């Protein structure tokens, strides 16, 4: 079965990306802006192969950007005219997406491609090719293996690359991926020895994920503990209600909509919002989540209780950003470890 | 160059109700001439001016801001202008550090009887701003693009 | 005194405070869930006290929790943190009698980002970091390398003027001499001052282009205690919630002006920023401006009036027409 996969030398990645640039806008991990993001391929820099573990800003930003114009409107003698942004979506290719972030996009799809099909999201999503890159060096904050995934999980990418030393093993996962793989000029057929190396690499990576979380019956436990104010107050005590964990989470999708008006014209924008902020639920007379523990509870339960209720999947992929980037080291795995079994 | 000659700075003036606003009024009633570059906003006291107002004006594209209140010792509320003085001092210095020309942030003491001084201040500030040039600090690429394409 | 001994002293003090009922809560540090991190411990349970730690990684300025935790509180502070408490007292956010301040003379805190840059590895890839006075030993893959401590301390620690708490009830140790590095702590500011105004504006424009508006800088700041921040006002809407660089930068400028005279240069905003915006290059400049113009340093005297609610009759006004 080894014959169906291919391999490419790491030195040829630059050429491969240039090949793909003919057809797609290619995004690669970059620290050009001052923090690790997926940025437009500059045509030469492949240094990310040395430093890249994961980005700070998740590739969610390529599909659900932090801010996005929904439409522009203008007034003239005849009235208002609404102009939609082009929604055909340019073809983009994200190179090096980690399995956790690719899985997260599949989770976002459930919301944006539900009974309401979100045109802004889907126009980008349907025009995006994901080239997965298996992790060889997961962070100590990563816990993907506890969520049924692994650092080399290829489920939700089009093409999967696995590090086998000087080369990457290439597996085509989807039809789009197969088409792409067939056209890679620099790829060679993978041998059985390559497959064996890949298997070894997958196992090694799996075992490097040391953080464990027991998710058995977690939704039921959370449901039972919903009114356990003591527990939630204790859990929330050190949270500072900033938006780091939510805004950078690859599965958080809440957004806010605002109109910006100029004389005779304006635009409607949507931008990411966070349930950590007290204003998130502020209404004219009342704020149902004014207390911090209610907001923390919502964040945890949305991922581990409500999403499973609605879509039968936990809305967390174990990427560990919320742990790694939290300025007070609030740790969701610790939180879930001590959910009381019964209220 | 043609554009430079035509361009006129736009200036927001936050004038205290008790002194400077009355001073501006007096400038008008006594037919003092001063440039029309200023748009006046009346505030109860110069101490009411949060540096946020100054920034907001610059964010909206105004070329300069003038905060004007009663002379020291004459504040209707005794001390409001002293607080304003401290705030404007730090604001001006801080904005300069970030890269905003300090000429854009102006302050003056103008009493209710100083119509002439008010006209002089506005004339001088407008002249100074003309030298500094248009405020493109917060220029919004998107909006500029829009205005071009919609014409 | 060794960290272990300070820890013991802290734990016995904290236990006594809770037992005697002198305080309702203890706010301190416990070991974090990641390597080389500590995390705030806020507890009213005596059984938790054994978890309190003191080490070179106690980054957080815990005074940020004072306006939130109800009742009387025993709190662990470093020099800069104690000054934050003083500003909270000046601003009448906290009553002095409601806090028992457990002061740690601070020898400077290790900046893990600097360590990462120095050894070219992420923090979780390091085996160990140990500090002994002005030397730090970093162990990677079993190999020890020694560095001067000055190379791994936070910039604000290098320029720290008051490592020993200004205000305390219990001092957990004697004064520890600080590693001198005044010049290094001002380096980023001096670099900016050497630029033209246009270059500086361009610099900040770039930095704030990646701001995600998580407000961690504001929420982690003890000086930002407003119940409702101007960014959340919608009538009028001072700042657009859409995270454009213009509004991101304007938010930060105003935040800095609002906390002038309250900022103790604890550096928490910069540390908290997930996208590495050099926020201390703003806060420290404001700190210096306030000092230059008014000879005012935040949090030095709990009886003094806050900077912006005070004035002197004769004060710099050469800029006023």
């Amino acid at each position: 079965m080894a014959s169906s996969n291919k391999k490419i030398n790491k030195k040829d990645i630059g050429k491969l990306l240039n090949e793909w640039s003919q057809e797609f806008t290619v995004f690669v991990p970059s620290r050009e802006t001052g923090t690790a993001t997926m940025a437009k391929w500059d045509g030469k820099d492949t240094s990310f192969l040395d430093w890249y573990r994961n980005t700070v800003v998740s590739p969610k930003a390529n599909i659900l950007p932090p801010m996005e114009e929904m439409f522009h409107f203008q007034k003239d003698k005849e009235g208002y005219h609404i102009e939609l942004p082009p929604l055909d979506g340019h073809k983009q290719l994200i190179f090096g997406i980690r399995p956790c972030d690719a899985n997260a996009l599949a989770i976002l799809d459930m919301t944006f491609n539900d009974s309401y099909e979100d045109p802004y999201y889907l126009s980008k999503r349907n025009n995006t090719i994901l080239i997965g890159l298996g992790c060889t060096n997961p962070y100590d904050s990563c816990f993907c293996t506890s969520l049924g995934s692994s650092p080399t999980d290829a489920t939700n990418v089009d093409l999967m690359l696995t590090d086998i030393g000087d080369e990457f093993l290439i597996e085509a996962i989807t039809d789009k991926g197969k088409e792409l793989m067939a056209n890679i000029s620099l790829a060679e057929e993978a041998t059985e020895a390559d497959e064996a190396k890949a298997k070894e690499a997958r196992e090694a990576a799996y075992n490097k994920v040391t953080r464990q979380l027991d998710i058995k019956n977690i939704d039921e436990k959370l449901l039972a503990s919903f009114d356990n104010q003591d527990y939630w107050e204790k859990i929330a005590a050190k949270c500072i209600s900033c938006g780091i964990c939510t805004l950078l989470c690859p599965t958080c999708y809440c957004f806010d909509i605002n109109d910006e008006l100029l004389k005779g014209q304006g635009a409607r924008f949507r931008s990411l919002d966070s349930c950590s902020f007290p204003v998130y639920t502020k209404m004219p007379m009342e704020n149902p989540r004014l207390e911090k523990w209610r907001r923390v509870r919502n964040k945890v339960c949305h991922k581990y209780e409500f999403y499973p209720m609605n879509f039968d999947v936990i809305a967390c992929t174990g990427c560990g950003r919320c742990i790694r980037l939290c300025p007070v080291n609030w740790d969701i795995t610790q939180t879930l470890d001590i959910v009381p079994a019964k209220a | 160059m043609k554009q430079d000659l035509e361009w006129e700075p736009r200036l927001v003036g936050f004038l205290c109700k008790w002194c400077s606003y009355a001073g501006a009024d007096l400038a008008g009633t006594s037919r003092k001439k001063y440039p029309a570059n200023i748009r006046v906003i009346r505030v109860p006291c110069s101490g009411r001016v949060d540096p946020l107002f100054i920034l907001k004006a610059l964010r909206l594209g105004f070329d300069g801001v003038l905060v004007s209140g009663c002379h020291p010792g004459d504040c209707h509320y005794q001390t409001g202008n002293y607080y304003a003085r401290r705030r404007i001092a730090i604001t001006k210095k801080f904005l300069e550090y970030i890269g905003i020309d300090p000429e854009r942030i102006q302050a003056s003491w103008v009493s209710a009887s100083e119509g002439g001084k008010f006209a002089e201040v506005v004339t001088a500030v407008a002249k100074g701003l003309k030298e500094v040039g248009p405020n493109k600090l917060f220029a919004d690429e998107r909006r500029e693009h829009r205005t071009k394409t919609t014409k | 005194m060794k960290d272990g001994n300070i820890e013991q002293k802290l734990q016995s003090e904290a236990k006594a405070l809770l037992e005697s009922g002198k305080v309702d809560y203890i706010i301190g540090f416990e070991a974090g869930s990641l390597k080389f991190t500590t995390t705030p411990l806020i507890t009213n349970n005596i059984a938790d006290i054994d978890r309190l730690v003191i080490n070179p990684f106690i980054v957080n300025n815990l005074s940020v929790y004072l306006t939130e935790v109800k009742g009387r509180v025993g709190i662990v502070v470093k020099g800069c943190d104690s000054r934050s408490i003083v500003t909270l007292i000046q601003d009448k956010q906290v009553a002095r009698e409601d806090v028992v301040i457990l002061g740690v003379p601070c020898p400077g805190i290790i900046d893990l980002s600097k360590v990462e840059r120095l050894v070219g590895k992420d923090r979780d890839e390091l085996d160990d970091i140990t500090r002994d006075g002005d030397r730090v030993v970093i162990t990677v893959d079993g190999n020890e390398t020694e560095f001067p401590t000055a190379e791994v301390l936070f910039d604000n620690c290098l320029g720290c003027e008051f490592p020993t708490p200004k205000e305390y009830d219990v001092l957990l140790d004697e004064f520890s001499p600080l590693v001198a590095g005044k010049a290094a702590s001002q380096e980023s500011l001096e670099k900016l001052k050497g630029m033209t105004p246009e270059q500086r504006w361009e610099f900040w424009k770039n930095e704030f282009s990646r701001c995600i508006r998580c407000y961690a800088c504001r929420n982690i700041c003890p000086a930002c205690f407003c119940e409702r921040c101007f960014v959340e006002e919608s009538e009028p809407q001072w700042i657009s919630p859409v995270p454009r660089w213009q509004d991101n930068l304007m938010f930060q400028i105003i935040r800095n002006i609002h906390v002038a005279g309250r900022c103790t240069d604890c550096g928490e905003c910069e540390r908290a920023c997930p996208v590495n915006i050099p926020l201390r290059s703003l806060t420290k400049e404001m700190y210096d401006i306030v000092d230059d113009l008014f000879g005012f340093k935040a949090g030095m005297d709990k009886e003094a009036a806050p900077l912006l609610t005070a004035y002197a009759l004769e004060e710099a006004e050469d800029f006023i027409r």
Side-chain angles (χ1 to χ4, degrees), chain A residues 33-34 53 56 67 137 139-140 211 237-238 240-244 247 258 260 269 277 279 292 327-329 331 334, chain C residues 32-34 39-40 42 60 65 68 122 124-125 210 212 214 216 219 232 240-244 271-272 274 276:
Chain A
T33 60
R53 299 176 78 192
V56 169
M67 59 173 156
N137 186 16
Y139 290 99
D140 62 349
R211 184 172 292 266
K238 66 185 173 189
I240 54 163
S241 299
C242 76
I244 292 179
L247 295 175
N258 283 280
E260 290 194 347
F269 279 89
F277 300 150
V279 288
K292 187 166 75 176
V328 299
N329 185 233
D331 186 329
Q334 288 182 331
Chain C
S33 73
L34 299 173
T39 184
I42 303 167
N60 298 76
Y65 295 109
E68 192 180 310
D122 288 341
D124 62 324
E125 298 172 295
R210 65 174 182 274
I212 58 166
C214 64
N219 292 11
E232 275 132 22
S240 166
V242 180
R244 258 190 224 98
R271 186 190 64 84
N276 310 328

Side-chain angles (χ1 to χ4, degrees), chain A residues 30 44 112 232 241 263:
Chain A
S30 162
K44 47 184 190 293
F112 288 100
W232 291 111
S241 299
K263 205 175 178 184

Side-chain angles (χ1 to χ4, degrees), chain A residues 262-300:
Chain A
L262 289 172
K263 205 175 178 184
Q265 60 171 324
R268 177 162 297 179
F269 279 89
R270 74 179 183 189
S271 49
L272 290 183
D273 200 356
S274 166
C275 61
S276 303
F277 300 150
V279 288
Y280 178 86
T281 42
K282 191 177 185 302
M283 283 171 259
M285 295 298 287
E286 189 61 55
N287 189 346
R289 286 190 220 130
L290 189 61
E291 298 105 319
K292 187 166 75 176
W293 65 271
R294 292 178 192 273
R295 298 195 296 274
V296 171
R297 179 179 70 181
N298 177 71
K299 180 179 74 183
V300 176

Side-chain angles (χ1 to χ4, degrees), chain C residues 12-23:
Chain C
S12 64
E13 292 283 352
K15 246 176 223 164
L17 285 172
L18 277 179
E19 265 164 1
S20 64
K22 278 192 186 138
V23 303

